[in-house]
Amino acid sequence: MDLAYFHLIDRITDLNLGEKTIAVEAQVPQQSTIFEGHFPGYPLMPGVLLIESMAQTSGWLLIALMKFERMPFLAAVKEAKMRTFVTPGELLSIEASIVHEGSGYAMTQAKVSVGGKLRCNATITFGIAAFPNADLRGHMEAMASRIGFPQQMIAHG
């Protein structure tokens, strides 16, 4: 996890296109300037970054289902619940599944757990659009390789 660059997913641990599910891991760093302000003397992972980690996880699932032909963009977060704190150094298990897809939108259910205990969850809606340019698509393909995205799912054609 690299908070400064919003790289909140370290590796894909499971991707099941038939069941439309994904699981990833992300190691919260021990040190980050974010923790200096959130909160001094009691560092906590900001809830908005937990939501972003669920959105990124969901996004990789959608990209896989669309075989890198289109890209999801965050449209809405519903029923986000922060159940307890996430602290520096914890290993996050993040899962997402498709609830609905169609008409240019997709909706996922996602959750973050640590050691099998639920820390937060949300329903997330995405707009689906063409990649706006080749540079972004290339960046996403490079990121996919970095996090262990199954290369056979990137195959164009």
Side-chain angles (χ1 to χ4, degrees):
M1 183 179 283
D2 186 346
L3 298 177
Y5 289 95
F6 269 67
H7 298 167
L8 301 183
I9 304 304
D10 290 331
R11 74 194 130 278
I12 295 173
T13 57
D14 186 54
L15 179 58
N16 186 319
L17 296 182
E19 293 182 15
K20 300 181 180 181
T21 61
I22 190 171
V24 308
E25 288 182 339
Q27 182 77 50
V28 179
Q30 287 286 352
Q31 301 288 321
S32 171
T33 55
I34 286 174
F35 300 135
E36 293 172 18
H38 198 275
F39 295 95
Y42 191 66
L44 298 175
M45 180 81 163
V48 69
L49 292 180
L50 293 170
I51 291 170
E52 177 67 16
S53 70
M54 291 185 285
Q56 287 184 18
T57 300
S58 296
W60 285 111
L61 174 59
L62 291 166
I63 284 175
L65 290 168
M66 295 180 287
K67 304 213 180 294
F68 253 90
E69 294 171 5
R70 300 177 60 76
M71 182 168 180
F73 290 91
L74 183 64
V77 178
K78 298 178 183 174
E79 307 210 13
K81 295 179 180 146
M82 303 301 129
R83 298 176 181 280
T84 190
F85 302 123
V86 169
T87 57
E90 291 190 301
L91 179 63
L92 307 182
S93 296
I94 309 163
E95 299 175 11
S97 61
I98 302 293
V99 175
H100 171 78
E101 55 186 325
S103 302
Y105 288 91
M107 184 179 292
T108 66
Q109 291 277 11
K111 65 181 180 178
V112 175
S113 300
V114 175
K117 295 184 180 178
L118 184 63
R119 297 294 178 92
C120 61
N121 62 295
T123 302
I124 306 171
T125 302
F126 297 85
I128 306 298
F131 280 90
N133 60 47
D135 288 343
L136 179 56
R137 183 181 177 134
H139 171 78
M140 294 300 295
E141 288 178 346
M143 182 66 65
S145 179
R146 185 183 70 77
I147 64 171
F149 190 94
Q151 294 300 315
Q152 68 273 18
M153 294 184 189
I154 298 175
H156 309 293

